[in-house]
Amino acid sequence: MSTTTTTTELVETKKSGGLTAVAANYIDERTSISTAVKELGRKIFPDHWSFLLGEVALYSFVIILLSGSFLTFFFSASMAPVQYDGSYVPLKGVEMSAAMSSSLDISFDIRGGLLMRQVHHWAALLFVAAIGLHMLRIYFTGAFRKPRELNWVIGFILFILAMAEGFTGYSLPDDLLSGNGLRIIDGMVKGIPLVGTWISYLLFGGEFPGEAIVGRLYSLHILLLPAIIVALIAMHLLFVVVHKHTQYPGAGRTNQNVVGYPVLPVYAAKAGGFFFIVFGVVMLMASLFTINPIWNYGPYDPSPVSAGTQPDWYIGFADGALRLIPPGLEFVWLDRTFSFNILIPLVSLGLFILVVLIYPFIEAWVTGDKREHHILDRPRNAPTRTAIGAAGVTFYAALWATASSDIIATHFSVTMEGVIHTMQFLTIVGPFIAFFVAKRVCLALQKKDREIVLHGYESGRIVRLPGGEYIEVHQPIDEYERWKLVSYSDYKPLMIRPNAQGKITTGQKLRAGMSRWFFEDRIEPVGNTELEQSHGDHH
Amino acid sequence: MAKDDNSGKDLAAADSSGVGHEGAPAGTAVVVRDAVGNPGLPPHRPRVTDLDPSAERRAERTVYTLFYLSIVGSVFAIAAYMAFPIVPEDPGSVRTNNLFIGLGLTLALMAIGIGAVHWGKALMFDHEGIDERHPVRGSEETRSRAVEIFQEAGEESGIGRRTLIRNSLIGALIAFPLPAVVLFRGLGPQDDNPAALLSHTMWKKGTRLALDPTGTPIKASDITLGSAFHVIPEGLQDLEHGKLEEKGKAAVLLMRLKPEDLNELPERKGWSYDGIVAYSKICTHVGCPVALYEQQTHHLLCPCHQSQFDVSNHCEVIFGPAKRPLPQLPIAVDSEGYLIAQSDFTEPVGPSFWERH
């Protein structure tokens, strides 16, 4: 940022020939950076709190890189057994892996080491959470529509990679809890038909747990995955620049403009400052709240385990899916074992992920709309999309809550079986209920918007008419507010027409069916005629 | 430019011929012919700091005070590093070290952040700017030139005409990564068969049952009614290599029930000793240790995914995602009264795998 600032000054101070000007000139003659400043320096970004979610994700990733680099200087990614000889008395003399021992040393023998470990872990939890919320924002406002479909895909891959980073990092200290996590992964991998046993064998370098896995996950965690993530983030941001940011509907904003503030100076200050705020909040959490106290768990041992074991939050949905499977779904057939108790969760989660990944293309196919969309939808103005989102969130939330089924059972003194059966019901029926409720709520909100546009808002002033009747005075809203309520794009269900051969193809029928499902319940935006007719209608 | 000339264009452009702005089809989007017009940007509202010079000075003071505070925070963090060292064997010192360095850094970071944002919001020029958008696709001219370039490149290289060159190149490109795939075979030891390894554990005829983790052999007389012991094969603690791998397969739970509570299968009549039974501790679902024993009901619970096994009914699954009962270890007592295994498990322990049958 400092180089770009100095270059802007170049323009003004060239004549005076100060040190800044000389430096700026030196750089520009070797990099042509003035072109970049000219293109990007005054680029306009729109303002909204929800646009900060992606920034939080980006900044937490920077924090993760910074704190993670510090940790690599002390961590030893080896599973060679050593006798612990650090400051933490209860584990003195206990045999453990070098990974666990060095993680304990980071926590107990290096000043600020525990702080950096906790910054790293909290930032990682925040990273995945921020990506998730950012994705929900994109989804519910329709920001994935043309021309941003590919950026949705990139972002979604980043979400998956963030979870992979989280899981590989979680496994590195080789403590009891993370070892059990790996044991579960091993068990799941073994359940995959045909190749599962071999994949597990190769992954762990022999039998579970072996002495290879921590080193291998370390390579993935600090080299391969971060490199891919950095590359994808660069692409993600490049696309944001190419597309220019979306904006919420509002007076003066159109599909052909961007209204907001320039990068220099306003966004440099606000976004730059926001990085420090995010970092500060993570630092505060790391100083006040313990995360992942591996010293309480002890080193990994395949035999002990404590009740209430849980993964980090973002793996919860997968763990929950495993718990929901009813007994008995495993068969021996043709002398081979088919573990449907593993395959059903794997396949359903895979399908769920796939549907989320390709959703933009499904919706584009249903609407047939090939225009660019830069004005965001208010979620209510796309009722079916919002309802699908609500169903997806409910499905995910049910799986996620199931990962705590034992804690729910002990905390509320209910039976384990009761919790599981309830969650099974919620996972399957919950999304349908959520779909229905969300859609009705959206339609009702759209009706309310119409009502406000046509008849004004309730002013709270009650007057008595000469005839004795009491009415509440409705005030018309101003034209700027009104614009937000009337300016949305509306679709109608697709009419099937035979093609050139006079046939109606199955694809056409499917698309028409989907289109009907999406758009048969619709509330039209208010037009001028209607608006004029309603004038004088305000009591 | 945002004032009015674009008003309503977004909606009105979606006419019935299905052509929207930039000539792209609008699909099933509805045309609103009498769409309400865009009123243009609302009038700018000045901030307090624009109107009141004393508010502006106050904001300026706030910003630089915050930046100075940040310096204080950084200095405090450095001082805390020295003032609150980690004292060996004093866990409290770790806590104070963590807390005070962390709070110093928090102040240093937050003050910069809040100061910069406040500067941006309260003092920097706040009139909204407008950028025009252009279609993402390249202009017609650019696109046809791009097509031309590819055509020229195709012509000049002859990749379309010289099919042998093209096809052999594609073949070579497909083949060259394959050796890398083969190299990954080396991730696991070369001559072992995983399915065979999974089918055997360290238990064999005569191995004494020993306490986990001390390795002390267990006498049958030590096992009181209702108790449960975590057991490993004797000698496991002294293994040079593969201790955890063996333990991951050989870990056993030993429980004593009243003999009349045990409902034993006829072919396993001789596998228990006076109500003492030994079962694999590794869950048949995904391999967590089934460590929680409920003494009254004789149920075993896996804490990972809540599979439950009924010890009195040969550890069959009564709830949860697991399918198979926990494998039973046949046990007996040797001449000195120690519990011993009669043999290895008669089936593979732990999670299911493809080759298991």
Side-chain angles (χ1 to χ4, degrees), chain B residues 319-357:
Chain B
F319 188 76
K323 160 74 188 271
R324 289 175 295 106
L326 294 170
Q328 185 175 3
L329 183 73
I331 53 168
V333 168
D334 68 7
S335 52
E336 293 170 59
Y338 287 107
L339 288 166
I340 52 166
Q342 291 184 27
S343 69
D344 194 358
F345 287 100
T346 55
E347 56 181 316
V349 299
S352 298
F353 51 95
W354 176 246
E355 293 85 351
R356 193 183 194 286
H357 47 86

Side-chain angles (χ1 to χ4, degrees), chain B residues 9 117 135 267:
Chain B
K9 193 173 171 188
V117 171
E267 67 270 22

Side-chain angles (χ1 to χ4, degrees), chain B residues 85-323:
Chain B
I86 293 179
V87 183
E89 314 200 346
D90 175 14
S93 69
V94 176
R95 194 178 307 136
T96 47
N97 180 273
N98 186 71
L99 180 69
F100 289 112
I101 296 181
L103 289 181
L105 283 170
T106 303
L107 181 63
L109 295 163
M110 288 293 258
I112 296 181
I114 296 172
V117 171
H118 191 53
W119 182 13
K121 284 176 89 93
L123 292 172
M124 287 183 185
F125 184 70
D126 83 324
H127 284 264
E128 286 180 313
I130 298 172
D131 266 0
E132 260 187 282
R133 288 182 194 275
H134 308 285
V136 172
R137 59 182 273 162
S139 67
E140 285 312 319
E141 196 191 341
T142 317
R143 284 157 64 100
S144 49
R145 178 64 193 130
V147 173
E148 232 172 70
I149 287 174
F150 278 121
Q151 278 165 349
E152 284 166 13
E155 278 305 308
E156 291 165 16
S157 65
I159 195 164
R161 277 177 294 122
R162 303 189 169 111
T163 47
L164 265 177
I165 290 187
R166 188 193 60 200
N167 295 349
S168 56
L169 176 64
I170 292 173
L173 290 177
I174 291 172
F176 98 93
L178 294 179
V181 178
V182 178
L183 285 179
F184 280 103
R185 170 61 184 87
L187 284 172
Q190 205 67 40
D191 346 295
D192 281 334
N193 174 3
L197 286 173
L198 288 171
S199 308
H200 299 287
T201 75
M202 211 183 136
W203 293 106
K204 54 180 188 285
K205 188 174 164 61
T207 311
R208 279 182 180 165
L209 278 68
L211 282 175
D212 179 21
T214 56
T216 324
I218 308 167
K219 279 192 165 158
S221 51
D222 294 339
I223 314 290
T224 50
L225 201 63
S227 61
F229 286 80
H230 301 274
V231 168
I232 49 175
E234 191 184 26
L236 184 128
Q237 290 305 80
D238 307 323
L239 284 182
E240 285 287 314
H241 293 289
K243 202 185 289 181
L244 290 183
E245 292 73 30
E246 289 303 339
K247 195 171 182 180
K249 291 190 295 182
V252 156
L253 263 176
L254 191 67
M255 289 143 294
R256 184 166 198 166
L257 283 66
K258 289 185 196 145
E260 63 268 26
D261 283 347
L262 273 181
N263 176 20
E264 294 183 296
L265 291 172
E267 67 270 22
R268 295 190 187 172
K269 272 284 182 240
W271 286 16
S272 64
Y273 176 79
D274 197 18
I276 303 176
V277 283
Y279 283 97
S280 165
K281 196 178 168 184
I282 311 302
C283 188
T284 55
H285 177 222
V286 285
C288 286
V290 186
L292 307 177
Y293 180 53
E294 213 175 32
Q295 200 190 45
Q296 300 300 316
T297 54
H298 315 306
H299 290 171
L300 282 170
L301 173 74
C302 177
C304 288
H305 304 101
Q306 281 77 54
S307 293
Q308 292 174 41
F309 303 88
D310 185 358
V311 179
S312 45
N313 271 316
H314 41 88
C315 272
E316 67 172 16
V317 179
I318 49 176
F319 188 76
K323 160 74 188 271

Side-chain angles (χ1 to χ4, degrees), chain A residues 7-269:
Chain A
T7 329
T8 353
E9 283 163 17
L10 161 75
V11 184
E12 293 134 31
T13 55
K14 202 166 187 174
K15 281 177 202 115
S16 65
L19 180 66
T20 345
V22 173
N25 182 50
Y26 183 92
I27 295 170
D28 188 44
E29 287 183 349
R30 283 153 187 85
T31 61
S32 182
I33 198 165
S34 57
T35 321
V37 175
K38 176 175 164 273
E39 289 302 317
L40 302 174
R42 283 301 217 172
K43 202 174 165 57
I44 297 292
F45 276 96
D47 225 4
H48 193 268
W49 66 265
S50 69
F51 300 160
L52 297 180
L53 294 167
E55 280 186 44
V56 175
L58 177 65
Y59 298 154
S60 0
F61 183 64
V62 175
I63 300 168
I64 290 170
L65 287 183
L66 293 174
S67 54
S69 301
F70 181 84
L71 295 176
T72 58
F73 299 145
F74 304 96
F75 179 69
S76 154
S78 153
M79 290 172 95
V82 295
Q83 289 244 328
Y84 176 67
D85 189 30
S87 293
Y88 186 65
V89 179
L91 289 176
K92 246 192 187 346
V94 173
E95 189 178 304
M96 58 178 67
S97 64
M100 173 76 180
S101 171
S102 61
S103 304
L104 287 171
D105 288 345
I106 290 172
S107 311
F108 289 103
D109 290 285
I110 292 157
R111 291 188 212 182
L114 179 63
L115 186 69
M116 284 303 119
R117 248 198 77 215
Q118 303 203 125
V119 164
H120 195 65
H121 204 128
W122 278 122
L125 296 181
L126 183 66
F127 182 45
V128 190
I131 299 180
L133 291 174
H134 176 58
M135 256 171 50
L136 288 176
R137 197 281 291 173
I138 301 289
Y139 178 84
F140 283 111
T141 60
F144 54 77
R145 288 172 298 169
K146 190 182 172 185
R148 298 183 177 78
E149 303 98 321
L150 297 181
N151 225 14
W152 166 270
V153 173
I154 294 175
F156 191 76
I157 295 172
L158 278 168
F159 182 56
I160 305 277
L161 289 174
M163 291 194 286
E165 273 287 33
F167 190 82
T168 52
Y170 177 80
S171 304
L172 292 182
D174 200 23
D175 59 290
L176 185 58
L177 214 49
S178 73
N180 266 304
L182 282 174
R183 176 83 243 208
I184 294 169
I185 294 290
D186 171 58
M188 286 178 75
V189 168
K190 281 186 178 141
I192 300 171
L194 205 61
V195 292
T197 317
W198 274 97
I199 291 181
S200 155
Y201 179 73
L202 295 177
L203 182 66
F204 290 92
E207 284 192 276
F208 176 86
E211 286 197 2
I213 189 71
V214 166
R216 289 175 184 179
L217 293 180
Y218 192 58
S219 296
L220 295 177
H221 184 75
I222 71 160
L223 182 75
L224 200 57
L225 291 172
I228 302 173
I229 288 180
V230 168
L232 288 181
I233 287 180
M235 272 171 79
H236 202 64
L237 296 180
L238 180 71
F239 274 131
V240 172
V241 172
V242 169
H243 296 146
K244 293 196 168 88
H245 207 287
T246 51
Q247 55 191 348
Y248 280 94
R253 299 176 192 172
T254 72
N255 214 21
Q256 281 83 25
N257 72 11
V258 195
V259 179
Y261 298 101
V263 167
L264 289 176
V266 177
Y267 268 97

Side-chain angles (χ1 to χ4, degrees), chain A residues 290-303:
Chain A
T290 304
I291 182 79
N292 202 22
I294 48 167
W295 53 90
N296 286 345
Y297 312 142
Y300 179 62
D301 179 324
S303 179

Side-chain angles (χ1 to χ4, degrees), chain A residues 373-405:
Chain A
H373 291 275
H374 303 293
I375 297 276
L376 296 171
D377 278 330
R378 297 163 80 218
R380 69 185 61 174
N381 289 334
T384 307
R385 178 205 297 151
T386 303
I388 294 172
V393 168
T394 310
F395 177 71
Y396 181 90
L399 293 180
W400 183 75
T402 310
S404 304
S405 59

